[in-house]
Amino acid sequence: QLQLQESGPGLVKPSETLSLTCSVSGGSISSSSYYWAWVRQPPGKGLEWIGSGYYSGNIFYNPSLKSRVTISVDTSNNQFSLRVSSVTAADTAIFYCARVGPQMTFDLWGLGTMVTVSS
Amino acid sequence: QSALTQPPSASGSPGQSVTISCTGTSNVVGRYNYVSWYQQRPGGVPKLLIYEVTRRPSGVHPRFSGSKSGNTASLTVSGLQAEDEADYYCSSYAGSNTYVFGSGTKVTVL
């Protein structure tokens, strides 16, 4: 069965760029049925959709984060990535990667990775 | 893109029912039948409970049900059990391949 696994540094300095990767196993990221998303959750707070990507390269962003976020899909390595630039303490969160199904729902989630922004 | 509005908390005794609302605009919840609900237990990963307003994924108990009226979607948990104590989030497709989550509701089983 398909699994998602986030990876990346757990600590990033203010003003630097946060970079995470989500590895997809047990299935192909090139499936035409799915988008691949990033969702974050600050400590003690709710979920926020960051953006989604398709294997063809189409990428869609949350308008509130669009100026600082880049999502890419790497079909050759079956993974997708997130970059958030100019981070501040407000970007401290658990970052989840997730699969978005044709029913417009987040139907499969990674375990999440905690990223702290601190000097 | 503002978060969908959910009550911060809800509670009920074992065996009772609790209903959680999720209110958005006519351009989001009111326009699309793509509302989903997720359960997140403490320290856990969100788990899909309901999609397309009313549909349950395989393996989700029928005690969980969804509905929608106008700009408000609702999740009802019937026959409350101790294991239902968790945070619940709604999400909605918002058009142009964008999504918005609800603010979250903490359900307490008394």
Side-chain angles (χ1 to χ4, degrees), chain A residues 35 39 41 45-49 52 60-64 96 100-112, chain B residues 1 34 36-38 40 44-48 50-52 87 89 91-93 96-103:
Chain A
Y35 281 75
V39 176
Q41 184 173 36
K45 296 187 177 181
L47 302 169
E48 180 179 35
W49 174 74
S52 303
F60 303 92
Y61 297 110
N62 184 326
S64 67
Y96 296 99
V100 185
Q103 302 87 0
M104 309 304 193
T105 192
F106 300 84
D107 62 0
L108 188 66
W109 297 69
L111 294 179
Chain B
Q1 194 181 51
Y34 291 126
S36 301
W37 289 91
Y38 308 85
Q40 186 179 33
V45 176
K47 173 190 173 185
L48 178 64
I50 298 286
Y51 66 97
E52 290 182 332
D87 293 327
Y89 295 91
S91 76
S92 178
Y93 180 67
S96 301
N97 282 288
T98 66
Y99 295 84
V100 61
F101 281 97
S103 48

Side-chain angles (χ1 to χ4, degrees), chain B residues 52-110:
Chain B
E52 290 182 332
V53 179
T54 62
R55 304 181 72 166
R56 276 186 309 275
S58 173
V60 173
H61 201 282
R63 297 189 298 108
F64 296 94
S65 62
S67 63
K68 191 183 85 166
S69 178
N71 298 337
T72 298
S74 299
L75 172 73
T76 297
V77 185
S78 305
L80 266 178
Q81 300 179 2
E83 66 195 46
D84 299 331
E85 192 157 288
D87 293 327
Y88 292 81
Y89 295 91
C90 60
S91 76
S92 178
Y93 180 67
S96 301
N97 282 288
T98 66
Y99 295 84
V100 61
F101 281 97
S103 48
T105 299
K106 182 177 180 61
V107 169
T108 302
V109 182
L110 302 171

Side-chain angles (χ1 to χ4, degrees), chain A residues 29-113:
Chain A
I29 202 170
S30 299
S31 169
S32 60
S33 299
Y34 301 104
Y35 281 75
W36 307 94
W38 289 98
V39 176
R40 71 178 182 178
Q41 184 173 36
K45 296 187 177 181
L47 302 169
E48 180 179 35
W49 174 74
I50 299 172
S52 303
Y54 196 54
Y55 78 96
S56 63
N58 291 345
I59 310 293
F60 303 92
Y61 297 110
N62 184 326
S64 67
L65 297 170
K66 185 175 183 177
S67 63
R68 298 193 297 124
V69 171
T70 302
I71 291 173
S72 58
V73 178
D74 180 357
T75 56
S76 58
N77 289 303
N78 221 39
Q79 62 186 31
F80 60 108
S81 300
L82 170 71
R83 289 169 58 87
V84 182
S85 63
S86 305
V87 296
T88 69
D91 293 307
T92 293
I94 298 173
F95 285 78
Y96 296 99
C97 59
R99 186 180 73 176
V100 185
Q103 302 87 0
M104 309 304 193
T105 192
F106 300 84
D107 62 0
L108 188 66
W109 297 69
L111 294 179
T113 187

